[in-house]
Amino acid sequence: MDIKKRTRSGQSTVEYAIVLFAFLAMVVALGTVWRAAQGGRLQHMARDYASHNLDQGLSIEFLQDVTAF
């Protein structure tokens, strides 16, 4: 009985660690996007990439970029 209890406890610890890592990764990613948007870098990048694609004319890549925005 003691072995089953330890095995279940170990599994829940691993599950907790995986969920915690995923949550922290999401927080870091959202913080990075927030900082980029706050500094105006996100808008500059979007403008630069959009204008670069407009110079090349309508293409599949351009349409994919537009739908991604």
Side-chain angles (χ1 to χ4, degrees), residues 27-41:
V27 168
V28 169
L30 288 174
T32 303
V33 170
W34 178 74
R35 292 284 290 176
Q38 183 183 19
R41 181 167 182 196

Side-chain angles (χ1 to χ4, degrees), residues 49-67:
Y49 289 128
S51 64
H52 175 71
N53 283 331
L54 283 175
D55 293 338
Q56 296 174 358
L58 284 177
S59 66
I60 297 297
E61 291 84 15
F62 171 73
L63 295 174
Q64 289 173 344
D65 286 344
V66 169
T67 57

Side-chain angles (χ1 to χ4, degrees), residues 1-14:
M1 190 74 167
D2 188 33
I3 293 174
K4 280 189 173 185
K5 188 175 183 180
R6 270 192 276 162
T7 304
R8 288 184 186 160
S9 176
Q11 179 182 354
S12 63
T13 302
V14 171

